Amino acid sequence: MTHTLVLLRHGESEWNAKNLFTGWVDVDLTEKGRAEAVRGGELMVEAGLLPDIVHTSLQRRAITTAHLSLDVADRHWIPVKRSWRLNERHYGALQGKDKKQTLAEFGEEQFMLWRRSFDTPPPPLDDSSEFSQAGDPRYADLGDELPRTECLKDVIARFLPYWEAEIVPDLQSGRTVLVAAHGNSLRALVKHLDQISDEDIAGLNIPTGMPLVYRLDEDMRPTVAGGEYLDPEAAAAAAAAVANQGR
Ligand SMILES: O=C(O)[C@H](O)COP(=O)(O)O
């Protein structure tokens, strides 16, 4: 028996459109992003993929994407679980900064280290910043665990406990699971699923609004490495655009 997992990065956000580092800043979708979410739902219906449960981050761009895609699939009524552990990577002091300006100011090597390295986080964000989540009631339970910056290694460390405790049991119960999350939190999960090296993960980018389907075996290993995008041509073009953000 295989288990069906659908990964869906949120549709284009307002700060994706402005080319700003977003992280934990809770921005909304653009009209294009809303349309991407609807299209994602249509693709799931066309593929006969009807999620039985959905997991989202605590950020509205993922929550809204989940709702819009499920509404199209007439699955808006399924159970939902939400966790900060699915949030986008915290981008530290880069939150709110323009990607192009950051590249120009710090150069290619530093830009890529902060954006795509495995274990080099950006500088921490001060709690006094307008882009800080300190004091945000949805993270009250985190206390001192509230991140002020994260690298991908940090995201993996906080995502995998949720994957094992919440998502895997849903898959093992035979449910089709939708995970509506973010570019880097999904990169963290894909790295784990496909056993991608710390070096090779730098080259993986996940496009907005495009369902990525994994059929997993009893050991939760992909039967097809890298999963399968429901619209592979569009996904490849969009992933290349993500890679070139800032240029
Ligand atoms: O948080 C952000 O800025 C984006 O959603 C992801 O950005 P990245 O693709 O530059 O990591």
Side-chain angles (χ1 to χ4, degrees):
M1 174 187 180
T2 58
H3 307 286
T4 304
L5 171 68
V6 184
L7 306 182
L8 183 61
R9 181 182 177 192
H10 60 80
E12 181 194 68
S13 75
E14 290 167 344
W15 280 20
N16 290 153
K18 293 176 180 175
N19 213 21
L20 303 178
F21 285 105
T22 315
W24 280 37
V25 179
D26 198 17
V27 298
D28 212 337
L29 298 177
T30 61
E31 279 311 309
K32 177 185 176 188
R34 295 175 71 85
E36 287 177 345
V38 169
R39 182 62 189 139
E42 291 169 347
L43 286 168
M44 285 193 278
V45 171
E46 290 164 18
L49 287 169
L50 299 176
D52 299 301
I53 189 164
V54 59
H55 297 258
T56 80
S57 71
L58 300 185
Q59 298 181 272
R60 62 166 41 91
R61 55 192 189 267
I63 293 169
T64 304
T65 296
H67 174 68
L68 290 172
S69 64
L70 289 170
D71 195 38
V72 165
D74 203 23
R75 304 293 283 190
H76 53 289
W77 46 270
I78 61 174
V80 56
K81 296 178 184 174
R82 305 195 198 286
S83 174
W84 69 274
R85 293 178 181 276
L86 277 62
N87 274 24
E88 177 57 276
R89 174 164 72 105
H90 194 295
Y91 251 114
L94 295 183
Q95 291 188 170
K97 291 190 181 307
D98 181 281
K99 294 183 182 180
K100 206 174 187 103
Q101 288 173 8
T102 304
L103 174 58
E105 183 177 348
F106 294 98
E108 176 73 18
E109 185 180 356
Q110 184 63 73
F111 178 78
M112 286 308 287
L113 263 178
W114 282 335
R115 192 174 181 227
R116 286 292 178 269
S117 77
F118 177 62
D119 54 7
T120 304
L125 182 65
D126 193 290
D127 287 2
S128 62
S129 165
E130 64 180 306
F131 302 126
S132 168
Q133 287 66 47
D136 186 322
R138 83 192 87 176
Y139 305 120
D141 293 348
L142 269 67
D144 292 341
E145 258 197 286
L146 179 77
R148 271 72 176 179
T149 188
E150 287 181 306
C151 59
L152 189 64
K153 184 179 180 182
D154 295 327
V155 178
I156 291 170
R158 47 96 159 169
F159 192 132
L160 288 190
Y162 184 87
W163 164 256
E164 296 295 346
E166 297 294 338
I167 301 175
V168 167
D170 284 343
L171 289 164
Q172 289 172 330
S173 71
R175 291 172 159 179
T176 294
V177 175
L178 173 65
V179 174
H182 304 261
N184 290 294
S185 53
L186 291 176
R187 289 177 69 242
L189 180 56
V190 166
K191 183 178 191 296
H192 170 71
L193 292 174
D194 287 312
Q195 300 289 287
I196 299 172
S197 72
D198 297 353
E199 294 71 34
D200 290 348
I201 192 62
L204 180 78
N205 290 281
I206 294 184
T208 53
M210 300 195 179
L212 173 57
V213 183
Y214 277 89
R215 312 284 184 179
L216 303 171
D217 65 20
E218 284 309 308
D219 297 321
M220 291 296 147
R221 288 288 162 236
T223 54
V224 173
E228 300 168 274
Y229 279 105
L230 294 184
D231 185 345
E233 289 75 28
V242 172
N244 291 322
Q245 278 178 0
R247 303 189 189 297

